[in-house]
Amino acid sequence: MQRDADWNDWRAFLAVARSGSTLAAARALRVSQTTVARRIAALEEALDLALFERRPAGYALTALGEALVGRAEAVEEAALAAEAQARAAARGRSGTVRITAEEIFSSALLAPNLVPLRELYPEIRIEIDNAVGLRDLAAGEADIALRSSRRIEGAGLVGRVIGKDEWTLYCSHAYAQRHGVPATIEALRDHVIVGGGGGMLAREYGAWIEQAGLADRVTVEQGSATGLMSAVRTGLGIAALPCIVADAMPDLIRCAPPPEEDRCLWLLTHERLRHQPAVRAVIDFLYDRLIAHVRGLEQAAAA
């Protein structure tokens, strides 16, 4: 099957046109002489034109080849300009980017993406802030926030929704084998409840536990949401966890469908930073990865 010519074929064409031999062209391009000859042959085949006359003293341009030199040089100039622009942009994608997120989202959603982010943008240094309170992006306390909210709150903030921030009760398969999975809120009276979670979560979750009459079933109070998750995964008991995190863990089971909730997980920054190269690169990368994560969960749920 005939293939289309690519830019490397044209680079070989120009190198031979300028030097008059495949050997000199190979040295200039830092490839083998065989590679240069193969690329010239491939270009001629793709164009269905004879570009050179093969002579004992070297390669001489045909009239058609001569006519194409100017066009090829224009392409070369454009390609070199594009490469220079890309290198300049890459130099701009450097420095420190500070990301604030709740610890459970940081450990489960951000941490797995730091290696590929580093590989793609080695000049960007990432700082992760797991502060319980909200960092003020407008005041420069962070550059990017992965934040649960019903809407964007804060002057000058811009962002995109990752997905719904739904929470429900989970237990491990090991726990379910020993104690079963509760079918109702009332059935939770016969189970071990893990409480706490730290910060606002501890207050909201604690209020729900009180309202459900389960306060006396709380065996352990964890100081963070990651502590809740660890306790559930080890089979200690049942606790509320974010679906976007727990649904990706095959060792966990939903004990109930999540309640209707209008909170979403947002990827936010301040409008003055949205076009800063390093911040833009990190936001775009994380958005693509997190959206892929959510779509994977949706596909798994529909299967």
Side-chain angles (χ1 to χ4, degrees):
M1 179 183 295
Q2 179 175 309
R3 69 171 181 84
D4 294 332
D6 64 26
W7 169 234
N8 286 318
D9 296 339
W10 286 105
R11 289 183 67 213
F13 165 74
L14 285 175
V16 175
R18 289 163 179 163
S19 65
S21 77
T22 54
L23 179 58
R27 290 171 179 161
L29 298 175
R30 296 183 180 179
V31 296
S32 69
Q33 185 177 12
T34 302
T35 297
V36 172
R38 176 172 51 80
R39 289 200 171 277
I40 295 298
L43 180 60
E44 290 180 325
E45 181 180 356
L47 299 177
D48 195 23
L49 294 173
L51 301 175
F52 293 97
E53 293 179 6
R54 278 70 167 173
R55 298 176 179 174
Y59 277 50
L61 285 164
T62 63
L64 290 172
E66 189 74 47
L68 289 175
V69 169
R71 298 281 189 180
E73 288 177 336
V75 174
E76 178 186 46
E77 183 178 349
L80 292 175
E83 289 175 5
Q85 184 175 348
R87 284 194 296 271
R91 286 193 297 272
R93 291 194 292 267
S94 62
T96 299
V97 175
R98 297 162 296 169
I99 307 173
T100 179
E102 289 188 39
E103 186 180 8
I104 193 166
F105 295 134
S106 174
S107 63
L109 300 179
L110 296 182
N113 289 308
L114 293 183
V115 170
L117 177 62
R118 167 71 180 172
E119 290 174 348
L120 189 60
Y121 301 115
E123 299 303 317
I124 297 178
R125 180 175 182 267
I126 301 295
E127 290 183 1
I128 304 292
D129 180 356
N130 297 141
V132 174
L134 297 182
R135 293 303 192 193
D136 188 345
L137 300 187
E141 292 181 349
D143 302 311
I144 298 170
L146 182 61
R147 181 175 296 171
S148 175
S149 178
R150 289 181 173 84
R151 64 192 64 85
I152 296 180
E153 297 177 349
L157 297 189
V158 293
R160 290 181 282 185
V161 172
I162 299 302
K164 290 183 178 180
D165 183 27
E166 298 174 323
W167 289 61
T168 192
L169 298 171
Y170 289 84
C171 69
S172 70
H173 283 279
Y175 180 92
Q177 288 173 0
R178 295 196 309 272
H179 305 287
V181 178
T184 64
I185 296 296
E186 292 74 20
L188 286 168
R189 293 284 313 160
D190 299 322
H191 290 268
V192 175
I193 305 299
V194 182
M200 185 178 295
L201 169 61
R203 293 191 292 274
E204 293 183 356
Y205 183 32
W208 179 86
I209 288 174
E210 288 283 351
Q211 185 179 3
L214 299 170
D216 63 335
R217 301 304 301 159
V218 176
T219 302
V220 174
E221 287 272 350
Q222 289 285 350
S224 67
T226 50
L228 287 180
M229 183 171 63
S230 296
V232 173
R233 298 188 76 181
T234 57
L236 177 61
I238 295 173
L241 297 172
C243 299
I244 195 172
V245 171
D247 283 349
M249 297 179 176
D251 55 332
L252 298 186
I253 301 172
R254 279 193 187 190
C255 297
E260 288 294 327
E261 179 59 79
D262 58 356
R263 297 181 71 87
C264 291
L265 199 59
W266 293 78
L267 199 58
L268 302 171
T269 189
H270 194 271
E271 59 184 4
R272 73 172 183 276
L273 297 175
R274 66 191 304 180
H275 299 303
Q276 198 276 335
V279 172
R280 181 80 267 158
V282 172
I283 283 182
D284 288 344
F285 176 87
L286 290 177
Y287 178 77
D288 290 343
R289 301 283 293 216
L290 295 177
I291 285 294
H293 172 83
V294 170
R295 288 174 180 164
L297 295 180
E298 292 171 348
Q299 291 170 359

